Amino acid sequence: MAKLLVYSEEAGVARELLAKARQVAGTQGFTEVGVVALGAAAAATAAIWGEWGADVVYTVAEPALDVYNPETYTAALAGVIEQVQPVVVLVGATKRGLEVNGRVAERLGAGAVSWCDDFSYDAASQSVTAKCLVYTGIGNNTYRINVLPALAAVPPGVFHEQAFAGHSAAVIAVPVAIPAARMRVLANSVKADTGRRLQDAPVIVDVGQGMRNREDLAMAEELAGLLNGQVACSRPISSERDWFPEWLGLSGLKLSPDLCITLGVSGSIQHTIGIRESKLIVAVNSDENAGIFAQADYGIHADLYQFVPALIEAIKTRSVTKK
Amino acid sequence: MKIVACIKYSLTLSELKVDPATRELRLATTPQRVGTIDRNVLEAAVVLKPEGSTVHGLTLAPAGAREAFREAIAMGLDDLTIVDSTNWAAGGPMATAAVLAAAIQKMGDVDLVVCGEASDDGVTYQVPPRLAERLGWPLLAYARNIALAGATLTADRDLDIGMQSVACDLPLVLTVTQETNTPRRPTLMDAVKAKKKPVVVWQPEADLGLSAEALQAAGGVTRIAQEGIVIARKEQLFQGDDMKALANQLLDALLAEHVVAE
Ligand SMILES: Cc1cc2nc3c(=O)[nH]c(=O)nc-3n(C[C@H](O)[C@H](O)[C@H](O)COP(=O)(O)OP(=O)(O)OC[C@H]3O[C@@H](n4cnc5c(N)ncnc54)[C@H](O)[C@@H]3O)c2cc1C
Ligand SMILES: Nc1ncnc2c1ncn2[C@@H]1O[C@H](COP(=O)(O)O)[C@@H](O)[C@H]1O
């Protein structure tokens, strides 16, 4: 009985992890793919996870779990793992997933790795191997984990969600006592979801802190529009300036468009990990020594405020379109 | 009140190179320093410090690296404790958290531990949650707009999806991000004073009663392979003052690549 369990408080990430779990279940000898649904609302709609690849949905419908709190979520996930006894737990490496992952691992004495992008379970040796990004993506380490369950935190966007039409899941309520949290949540402000699907865009115009004002985004939007693309950004543009809810990089989206044009992005590895699967990368930066140039196919050493209007003009003049 | 700032002697990742032929990570020739996130940790600890309180630096690092901590001390530490990793054969976040927890317990009467959300080079995000768990304290992670009133800390937690405002009573483990604050630059005066601040060195086995072998086994994670990621891009640089010419040069290149059409 080798069970694989999936957990993420982000439904989209849970779907990605489930798809991978479903794909490898047969070959790696997992007898069950489970997913954890926490809170009353999640428990009420638990059966939907069947279509995303789950065999079993483990629910904890405690009201204390209706609002995310790392303490109550740690108690719930640790409780489910103790009762289900999986050999592998895939945890979505969002900030919330990571804080829960570390606590659960310590509480259960489980082996844990971060930034996993591949794994395999070997029934004979009762061990798990996990391939993980290290040094923020400069390298890969492969680990053997022999204190099971193995908790593997997987970044968003590494695997891709897949619907398994007709697949259905059993729903099992797990009794877990949730102690009162000591950290009190006073308010949650959630960024508005724009509903954009950057993953499908053939061209991405990737804006960094070299762009000074929000109004200047019009320039990036126009360029993207001409090439049938979308505008995306680095983390500070999202977290500091709040121009977009999502960002690209280690902790954000990972895209693989035909063409990615970065505007005023310095090239820190935490960011470029989100664009390095692009077929072609063009980088515009006013600093000749910017690290991004070594990670781009075509570098434009220029002030983006001068170059981008000229590029837009040239695209229009020559009627260039996205193929 | 007693505050502990956990800081790490880290690899400078911008200098970490991959051997293109062997894909080996050139770790041995990568310089080390107190990390950039650690400056945010120190700043947060020093700013929070109420009147009559003390801030203590804590690190698991080779004792030989003590000079590298001068600037960290100058930022406002009262002292630094180095748990010497020179002969310490246990690695990984589980063992690190065990060492830090034991040191904090030995220091005694600590009210607040400040960490980085992730270290510059480890980036595991595991040490603070594991440390909180070991100490049996709450973890207030990714904190911004931190305020301390009496024994209650309030902050906004910067989660991917937005901010979560929270309140929590001490003792607790706090983590900060690079967006939390702007670290101060110590003055020459601070640097001079820092020279007189005590640096204590503890051995994990002799002083904290920990066994590397036991911790390594309990951690259960062994590295079996390592490989650098080699990025192969054309790296062609276009420059010049004529923007129109540059734009056309780029479009010609993109047409030749067949990613766009005319
Ligand atoms: C644990 C961790 C995780 C992280 N995860 C992510 C992540 O997922 N995604 C992410 O993006 N970041 C992430 N970061 C942050 C990352 O390290 C960088 O700080 C960030 O990506 C830098 O963003 P930037 O390139 O937009 O800005 P900067 O580094 O400030 O670069 C701005 C660039 O614009 C150029 N410039 C300025 N003016 C002009 C002009 N007029 N014309 C042209 N160029 C100009 C400058 O030369 C500079 O190179 C993470 C950091 C940590 C510590
Ligand atoms: N060797 C160490 N010494 C002191 N603190 C550490 C050490 N390793 C990790 N930490 C703390 O834990 C945080 C997160 O590290 P990590 O889990 O490696 O991402 C760091 O920012 C430090 O505050």
Side-chain angles (χ1 to χ4, degrees):
Chain A
M1 284 299 284
K3 297 176 184 171
L4 191 159
L5 193 65
V6 161
Y7 162 76
S8 178
E9 76 298 324
E10 275 294 319
V13 179
R15 288 196 293 271
E16 294 171 5
L17 303 182
L18 269 179
K20 174 70 176 178
R22 182 81 270 144
Q23 284 156 17
V24 302
T27 50
Q28 295 191 15
F30 293 111
T31 49
E32 178 191 297
V33 171
V35 65
V36 183
L38 303 180
T45 55
I48 57 162
W49 290 106
E51 271 192 53
W52 296 107
D55 299 318
V56 184
V57 189
Y58 294 102
T59 64
V60 184
E62 294 291 325
L65 301 170
D66 287 343
V67 171
Y68 173 78
N69 183 311
E71 291 174 47
T72 56
Y73 272 54
T74 296
L77 182 59
V80 171
I81 292 172
E82 273 182 312
Q83 294 182 49
V84 175
Q85 304 244 321
V87 291
V88 175
V89 185
L90 302 180
V91 176
T94 58
K95 279 183 166 178
R96 285 158 293 161
L98 287 164
E99 64 180 349
V100 167
N101 190 52
R103 291 204 79 150
V104 169
E106 189 69 29
R107 193 169 295 184
L108 299 178
V113 293
S114 306
W115 311 114
C116 171
D117 61 11
D118 202 5
F119 64 93
S120 67
Y121 167 65
D122 180 46
S125 65
Q126 290 278 298
S127 70
V128 172
T129 35
K131 192 164 137 268
C132 299
L133 289 170
V134 288
Y135 305 121
T136 67
I138 300 175
N140 272 312
N141 277 0
T142 305
Y143 297 103
R144 177 171 306 118
I145 308 162
N146 39 30
V147 174
L148 303 184
L151 265 54
V154 179
V158 167
F159 303 131
H160 303 287
E161 66 177 47
Q162 189 184 339
F164 299 86
H167 193 87
S168 67
V171 178
I172 297 177
V174 185
V176 182
I178 309 293
R182 282 177 286 174
M183 187 183 79
R184 305 180 293 283
V185 175
L186 307 176
N188 280 297
S189 68
V190 178
K191 290 183 201 161
D193 184 0
T194 56
R196 302 186 312 156
R197 283 272 309 163
L198 296 175
Q199 290 87 340
D200 303 333
V203 174
I204 289 291
V205 175
D206 175 17
V207 172
Q209 294 201 98
M211 186 159 281
R212 291 190 285 267
N213 308 301
R214 194 171 189 151
E215 302 86 81
D216 307 335
L217 270 181
M219 189 173 18
E221 297 282 3
E222 184 175 7
L223 177 60
L226 287 168
L227 298 174
N228 188 23
Q230 294 266 16
V231 178
C233 68
S234 66
R235 191 171 81 171
I237 294 292
S238 173
S239 63
E240 288 305 283
R241 304 199 196 157
D242 206 13
W243 294 356
F244 294 102
E246 69 280 280
W247 66 87
L248 310 183
L250 180 68
S251 55
L253 296 167
K254 288 150 205 74
L255 304 178
S256 47
D258 293 342
L259 173 63
C260 175
I261 305 175
T262 73
L263 305 178
V265 165
S266 59
S268 73
I269 181 84
Q270 292 99 328
H271 177 74
T272 52
I273 202 166
I275 59 169
R276 72 181 177 194
E277 299 295 323
S278 304
K279 288 209 188 77
L280 210 66
I281 297 179
V282 172
V284 182
N285 198 302
S286 53
D287 173 5
E288 194 179 357
N289 298 316
I292 189 71
F293 289 136
Q295 303 172 68
D297 296 289
Y298 299 105
I300 313 290
H301 170 215
D303 183 335
L304 73 92
Y305 287 92
Q306 290 173 19
F307 178 74
V308 176
L311 180 61
I312 289 172
E313 204 45 50
I315 290 173
K316 286 182 181 164
T317 311
R318 295 172 61 172
S319 315
V320 168
T321 55
K322 176 69 188 79
K323 237 190 166 167
Chain B
M1 194 177 134
K2 208 162 158 182
I3 302 177
V4 171
C6 293
I7 53 179
K8 187 178 179 194
Y9 185 58
S10 311
L11 291 163
T12 310
L13 286 196
S14 55
E15 313 264 327
L16 172 55
K17 300 284 178 282
V18 178
D19 185 312
T22 62
R23 294 198 161 204
E24 196 184 325
L25 286 167
R26 293 188 181 138
L27 295 168
T29 53
T30 305
Q32 283 182 279
R33 60 177 184 200
V34 176
T36 54
I37 188 71
D38 301 294
R39 305 170 62 80
N40 300 98
V41 169
L42 292 161
E43 180 65 29
V46 169
V47 166
L48 274 177
K49 177 184 156 174
E51 199 69 35
S53 309
T54 48
V55 184
H56 310 267
L58 172 61
T59 188
L60 172 65
R66 62 190 289 165
E67 280 310 311
F69 289 88
R70 278 280 165 242
E71 197 179 343
I73 297 172
M75 282 181 74
L77 292 178
D78 291 284
D79 55 39
L80 172 71
T81 299
I82 301 179
V83 182
D84 186 11
S85 63
T86 314
N87 299 308
W88 177 243
M94 196 261 191
T96 302
V99 170
L100 298 179
I104 289 161
Q105 273 154 354
K106 185 172 166 119
M107 289 172 159
D109 301 319
V110 173
D111 303 281
L112 176 64
V113 173
V114 188
C115 290
E117 64 165 323
S119 61
D120 279 22
D121 55 352
V123 214
T124 72
Y125 282 78
Q126 284 190 38
V127 172
R130 286 180 176 275
L131 179 58
E133 195 68 21
R134 284 228 162 215
L135 295 169
W137 295 358
L139 170 72
L140 199 166
Y142 324 121
R144 298 174 70 169
N145 308 320
I146 309 161
L148 186 62
T152 304
L153 202 140
T154 54
D156 294 330
R157 299 199 324 121
D158 187 349
L159 306 176
D160 315 86
I161 41 147
M163 291 285 185
Q164 181 176 63
S165 307
V166 298
C168 193
D169 297 338
L170 302 179
L172 62 87
V173 176
L174 182 74
T175 82
V176 300
T177 71
Q178 63 177 11
E179 290 89 8
T180 302
N181 53 38
T182 308
R184 69 194 56 201
R185 299 216 162 271
T187 62
L188 204 58
M189 194 61 170
D190 295 330
V192 171
K193 277 196 254 163
K195 290 213 174 102
K196 301 199 187 79
K197 300 279 170 68
V199 176
V200 182
V201 178
W202 285 342
Q203 296 302 326
E205 262 127 358
D207 295 304
L208 302 175
L210 297 170
S211 149
E213 289 69 31
L215 281 175
Q216 198 61 41
V221 178
T222 327
R223 195 185 86 192
I224 53 176
Q226 182 170 72
E227 187 181 67
I229 296 175
V230 180
I231 309 162
R233 292 278 171 191
K234 297 197 177 71
E235 295 183 45
Q236 212 165 312
L237 192 64
F238 297 141
Q239 37 194 343
D241 294 332
D242 184 348
M243 292 299 134
K244 194 172 163 188
L246 276 183
N248 280 311
Q249 239 178 319
L250 176 62
L251 287 183
D252 291 341
L254 296 183
L255 286 162
E257 296 273 3
H258 303 290
V259 289
V260 294
E262 209 161 359

